[in-house]
Amino acid sequence: MKSLAELQQIRDKYHGDVSIRQDNHEKIKVEIGMATCGIAAGAREVVTAVLDELSKETVENVVVTQTGCMGICQYEPIVEVFVPGKEKVTYVKVTPEKARRIVKEHVAGGTPVTEYTIGANA
């Protein structure tokens, strides 16, 4: 980095990635369990798939966060979707493929993917 303009270019390039991780109560929140149990089950790949699919869908009212252990390790990776004014939806045993469908149908489309929820898998 040799100039202020170069620094501003770097900031602008990564601004979208940072803003998608900043919490806002008016936004849809996608929370992914990233404790050791979640990571061992594939949560890192799920996060990557969620972020990738969000960028393809150009959904702007979403924040992606991570959390620690959710207490049901046998169901990891776990993804919870919070839509303002609606009940949270907990998805279990999420794979990158399932994560992409969750983003397309639930986050972008508004329809939960019920066969991936904890109620359908308990």
Side-chain angles (χ1 to χ4, degrees):
M1 192 170 356
K2 297 179 182 168
S3 69
L4 182 57
E6 198 174 338
L7 178 61
Q8 289 172 332
Q9 286 177 336
I10 293 169
R11 180 197 64 196
D12 293 343
K13 178 181 176 187
Y14 291 103
H15 179 71
D17 290 343
V18 172
S19 66
I20 203 167
R21 292 178 180 247
Q22 293 177 340
D23 199 358
N24 181 326
H25 297 293
E26 296 173 9
K27 293 186 174 189
I28 296 169
K29 181 178 175 184
V30 178
E31 189 172 82
I32 302 164
M34 292 289 290
T36 53
C37 52
I39 292 169
R44 282 191 178 122
E45 293 80 7
V46 170
V47 169
T48 301
V50 166
L51 293 173
D52 182 53
E53 199 60 39
L54 282 171
S55 69
K56 288 179 187 175
E57 293 290 325
T58 61
V59 181
E60 296 182 11
N61 64 332
V62 178
V63 61
V64 178
T65 63
Q66 66 183 38
T67 189
C69 183
M70 293 185 182
I72 48 175
C73 302
Q74 69 270 25
Y75 292 111
E76 291 287 356
I78 299 171
V79 174
E80 291 187 323
V81 177
F82 301 84
V83 176
K86 297 187 178 179
E87 272 192 53
K88 79 172 176 180
V89 177
T90 302
Y91 293 102
V92 296
K93 299 181 181 180
V94 178
T95 63
E97 295 76 24
K98 288 179 179 180
R100 291 178 190 284
R101 183 170 172 207
I102 291 164
V103 169
K104 285 180 188 176
E105 294 183 23
H106 188 179
V107 178
T111 304
V113 185
T114 55
E115 64 262 32
Y116 300 162
T117 62
I118 192 161
N121 287 278

